[in-house]
Amino acid sequence: MRRNRTARRGLAAVAVALTLGLSLAACGGDSGDKPSPSASASTGDESAAAAADKAALAKVDVSWSDDKAPVVTLPSKPFSVTTPVIEVREPGKGAELKAGQSITIDFVAVSGADGKVAHDTTSTGPEPGTLGKGSVLDGLIGEKVGVRFVLAGPPQQGGTESTVIAGQIVDAKDAPTPAPGVTKAAGEAVPPVAGLPTVTLDANGKPSVTPVSTPAPTTLVAQPLIKGTGPVVTADQTLVVQYSLFLWDGTPVESSWESGQPATFALNAVIPGWTEGLAGQTVGSQVLLVVPPDKGYGASGQGDSIPPNSTLIFVVDILAAS
């Protein structure tokens, strides 16, 4: 799954995921070298540009408070860097942060154009992330829970200024791991329901769908196809899944099966169709989700492959949850 498919909700997700290439609520598809726990996302000998970006980030002033959002003051406006950079401002005192962990982040994001706040999680709640996915956040591996940091990334999508984020890791936990040999749903098959797309599995378990000609439903459908015998999934958990995504007419969009690796993400950081449709299911299940636009990507769509107001079909195998 490309990182901005099922995951990412709100302005914060856009600022963090697109501008900085972070692995918040990572769902696979990440690329690039993994930085070492240092103040820069680059590895090996730093280029002159990376060194200059580190120096620029060091001049960003952050005033921290235990009960309010940090106040970020830029050294100049507009503010921009050419490479993703991260700097620890205050060490944490909790458990050590490790690769593969799911983390929770409190942060404020400001525009490099004018220094105005673009998003503040003190009003929306902390947001999830993942360490060890090749993002600039990997520079915090080896630090401790409670660490406070500031980071910035280069302009994206034709922009001219960076986004600057001041944040704190408030929690971390080990990501779930499927039981040995578990690569797909396993359990009791559930009889298909009339009026829904038909799902066919190949020898490895990868699904394909045969669409129906009837109008798409206007409410969320979460239909188990295989009923697993594991624990019940809750909305605050991190899941490991295999999934495939199709448009309502059966057009394939993307699939974790193509990479050979399942996807891991926080269930409270995905589109509402996933949060609502998978919470209450059991580990080991395969679930058919039919997601109407208001539970998916709405009138804006997503990139070139999900048009505006699309009804989406997901087939999801829940391999693990914690």
Side-chain angles (χ1 to χ4, degrees):
M1 175 189 310
R2 283 177 289 235
R3 296 177 310 170
N4 60 351
R5 284 283 182 243
T6 62
R8 310 290 181 257
R9 61 183 183 187
L11 179 59
V14 175
V16 176
L18 299 183
T19 305
L20 302 173
L22 305 186
S23 296
L24 296 185
C27 294
D30 293 301
S31 61
D33 296 332
K34 296 179 181 180
S36 59
S38 67
S40 172
S42 61
T43 58
D45 293 335
E46 290 183 337
S47 66
D53 289 336
K54 283 183 61 177
L57 186 66
K59 295 178 181 179
V60 174
D61 181 72
V62 182
S63 176
W64 303 92
S65 171
D66 290 334
D67 56 358
K68 297 179 182 179
V71 177
V72 178
T73 303
L74 302 178
S76 61
K77 303 170 191 174
F79 177 87
S80 184
V81 295
T82 60
T83 57
V85 284
I86 185 168
E87 180 179 87
V88 171
R89 292 295 175 89
E90 295 182 19
K93 298 181 180 180
E96 182 177 334
L97 298 173
K98 301 176 182 178
Q101 286 185 318
S102 298
I103 55 177
T104 305
I105 310 167
D106 244 337
F107 68 92
V108 62
V110 304
S111 167
D114 53 17
K116 292 183 177 180
V117 173
H119 188 73
D120 172 11
T121 63
T122 60
S123 60
T124 62
E127 299 194 5
T130 304
L131 292 176
K133 289 289 185 177
S135 80
V136 68
L137 276 180
D138 289 358
L140 299 178
I141 294 172
E143 297 291 336
K144 295 181 177 180
V145 172
V147 61
R148 288 173 170 173
F149 62 91
V150 61
L151 58 81
Q156 296 289 310
Q157 298 180 328
T160 57
E161 289 82 30
S162 298
T163 296
V164 178
I165 289 178
Q168 180 175 16
I169 305 300
V170 297
D171 191 23
K173 63 180 181 180
D174 293 338
T177 303
V182 173
T183 59
K184 60 183 179 181
E188 182 179 354
V190 177
V193 175
L196 295 179
T198 300
V199 176
T200 303
L201 307 179
D202 69 11
N204 295 320
K206 178 182 177 181
S208 58
V209 301
T210 302
V212 293
S213 58
T214 54
T218 57
T219 58
L220 175 67
V221 174
Q223 174 59 43
L225 303 177
I226 298 172
K227 180 67 173 178
T229 58
V232 174
V233 172
T234 59
D236 60 349
Q237 289 185 309
T238 296
L239 305 188
V240 179
V241 305
Q242 291 278 25
Y243 78 96
S244 291
L245 165 61
F246 309 85
L247 300 182
W248 180 247
D249 64 4
T251 301
V253 178
E254 63 180 26
S255 175
S256 65
W257 293 91
E258 299 295 338
S259 68
Q261 296 292 329
T264 301
F265 63 91
L267 192 54
N268 61 4
V270 292
I271 57 174
W274 274 59
T275 307
E276 297 173 20
L278 296 183
Q281 306 294 340
T282 53
V283 173
S285 296
Q286 182 180 80
V287 183
L288 172 68
L289 297 176
V290 181
V291 180
D294 66 322
K295 300 292 185 180
Y297 296 100
S300 60
Q302 186 73 26
D304 296 329
S305 52
I306 299 180
N309 298 311
S310 289
T311 296
L312 306 175
I313 302 169
F314 290 93
V315 182
V316 184
D317 288 22
I318 305 173
L319 307 183
S322 68

